[in-house]
């Protein structure tokens, strides 16, 4: 009974609402320009996306790690592991992501072709370290999605004194052993931490030794942090390119009110 109720709740949370508007990014150009270890942010249209957007006060509800095509993975053992977790068409562009109800999985990038997307590119990441980041992410495949973690993030917004102790967030609790659950940002942040690539490090000044960097708790990261990080280059591919000088002056703007009146005018012409 409990499992059945849980499945229904997950199905409701995952339900994607129909797109009301044309996506404002050009998927074709974006997918062509992607590089290994780019973090792709996704706006999302599901109920759980809206919840995450509200919690994090950001339009980005999900993040995936781009790992390229299968042949882009140098380690043959890791390639085989990806193949064992992916049943789609080989040769497609792939991402690793953590999904509610599915856990950490391999997905084709194309599943997000109708979404609003943004690239966050780690600046100066070496080819060797890019492979290490990918291998770290592959090592997470098969782990369950940690829905409680999202609840913990939400509870962090509420003063502790206002909650009974048993309701306090466990986000800072130490969990011994190998983790068995995670969310998208946790998986990606741990992958970059494996090569000491900064996302939003804690920075302290030592008057004798200069700056000191410390890793943040990876469980505190959300999709918006990759957008905010100064160590990631933000790349956008709008559906309409404005690279030419003053090209915006030639955009095909329309009068919405005139469009609404158009059908009635057409009918009048038909009657004539």
């Amino acid at each position: 009974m409990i499992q059945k109720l849980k499945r229904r709740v997950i199905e409701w949370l995952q339900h994607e609402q129909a797109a009301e508007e044309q996506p404002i990014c050009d998927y074709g150009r974006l997918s062509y320009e992607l590089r290994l270890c780019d973090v792709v942010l996704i706006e999302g249209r599901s109920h759980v996306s809206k919840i995450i957007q509200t919690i994090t006060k950001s339009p980005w509800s999900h993040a995936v790690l781009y790992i390229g095509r299968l042949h882009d993975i140098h380690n043959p053992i890791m390639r085989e592991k990806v193949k064992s977790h992916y049943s789609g068409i080989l040769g497609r562009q792939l991402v690793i992501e953590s999904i509610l109800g599915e856990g950490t999985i391999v997905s084709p990038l194309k599943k997000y072709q109708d979404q609003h997307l943004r690239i966050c590119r780690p600046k100066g990441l070496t080819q060797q370290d890019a492979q290490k980041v990918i291998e770290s992410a592959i090592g997470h495949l098969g782990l369950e999605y940690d829905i409680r973690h999202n609840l913990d993030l939400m509870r962090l917004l509420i003063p502790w004194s206002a909650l009974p102790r048993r309701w306090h967030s466990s986000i800072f609790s130490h969990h011994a052993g190998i983790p068995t659950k995670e969310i998208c940002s946790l998986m990606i942040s741990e992958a970059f931490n494996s090569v000491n690539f900064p996302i939003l490090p804690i920075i302290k000044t030592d008057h004798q030794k200069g700056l000191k960097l410390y890793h943040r708790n990876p469980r505190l990261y959300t999709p918006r942090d990759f957008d905010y990080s100064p160590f990631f280059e933000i790349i956008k591919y709008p559906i309409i390119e404005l690279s030419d000088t003053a090209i915006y002056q030639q955009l095909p703007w329309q009068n919405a009110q005139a469009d609404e009146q158009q059908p009635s005018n057409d009918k009048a012409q038909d009657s004539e």
Side-chain angles (χ1 to χ4, degrees), residues 2-249:
I2 295 178
Q3 289 300 321
K4 186 176 181 180
L5 178 61
K6 181 179 178 181
R7 283 196 302 271
R8 288 186 176 180
V9 171
I10 291 176
E11 289 174 359
W12 180 83
L13 288 170
Q14 288 180 315
H15 178 69
E16 285 278 339
Q17 299 177 354
E20 298 179 357
E21 301 175 349
Q22 168 77 27
I24 58 177
C25 73
D26 187 332
Y27 172 80
R29 294 175 58 226
L30 181 144
S31 61
Y32 181 78
E33 298 293 345
L34 275 171
R35 299 179 187 174
L36 296 183
C37 291
D38 280 352
V39 177
V40 181
L41 301 182
I42 299 151
E43 186 172 13
R45 297 189 298 266
S46 66
H47 291 112
V48 70
S49 296
K50 301 303 180 185
I51 294 172
I52 294 173
Q53 289 163 353
T54 300
I55 294 173
T56 62
K57 299 179 181 179
S58 165
W60 308 112
S61 66
H62 188 47
V64 303
L65 182 71
Y66 180 66
I67 63 172
R69 293 177 169 84
L70 199 61
H71 65 261
D72 291 320
I73 303 171
H74 295 176
N75 189 322
I77 297 176
M78 294 299 170
R79 281 202 302 270
E80 290 302 314
K81 185 167 184 178
V82 169
K83 287 174 65 176
S84 68
H85 284 81
Y86 178 65
S87 58
I89 300 173
L90 297 178
R92 282 190 170 175
Q93 294 174 287
L94 303 175
V95 299
I96 293 181
E97 58 181 339
S98 294
I99 297 287
L100 176 65
E102 300 182 52
T104 302
I105 60 174
V106 180
S107 302
L109 175 70
K110 198 170 184 179
K111 71 183 283 188
Y112 294 113
Q113 64 181 337
D114 296 326
Q115 298 273 5
H116 179 36
L117 309 175
R118 177 174 294 176
I119 296 175
C120 299
R121 177 166 295 160
K123 295 180 180 179
L125 185 69
T126 66
Q127 182 180 11
Q128 183 179 11
D129 280 347
Q131 290 295 322
K132 292 179 180 179
V133 169
I134 290 173
E135 290 179 10
S136 174
I138 292 173
H140 289 247
L141 290 175
L143 296 184
E144 295 180 25
Y145 185 90
D146 191 358
I147 189 171
R148 177 171 178 175
H149 183 76
N150 287 333
L151 296 175
D152 284 341
L153 283 173
M154 182 172 61
R155 286 185 289 180
L156 279 175
L157 301 178
I158 304 174
W160 279 52
S161 59
L163 294 173
R165 180 173 295 276
R166 66 179 181 277
W167 290 358
H168 287 177
S169 171
S170 61
I171 203 166
F172 295 108
S173 301
H174 173 71
H175 301 282
I178 301 175
T180 58
K181 296 182 178 181
E182 62 186 350
I183 62 170
C184 61
S185 303
L186 171 60
M187 177 271 294
I188 297 174
S189 63
E190 289 189 340
F192 281 106
N193 282 352
S194 69
V195 296
N196 284 325
F197 189 89
I199 302 172
L200 288 175
I202 298 171
I203 302 177
K204 295 185 178 180
T205 302
D206 187 307
H207 295 294
Q208 295 181 343
K209 298 182 179 180
L211 295 179
K212 289 185 176 181
L213 272 64
Y214 300 88
H215 287 296
R216 290 183 186 272
N217 184 342
R219 295 173 63 82
L220 290 176
Y221 283 113
T222 64
R224 71 172 183 181
D225 292 324
F226 298 98
D227 190 12
Y228 183 70
S229 172
F231 305 105
F232 284 76
E233 181 182 1
I234 305 305
I235 304 174
K236 306 174 186 179
Y237 290 100
I239 197 70
I240 300 174
E241 183 56 61
L242 301 182
S243 57
D244 296 331
T245 303
I247 191 68
Y248 63 89
Q249 296 177 353

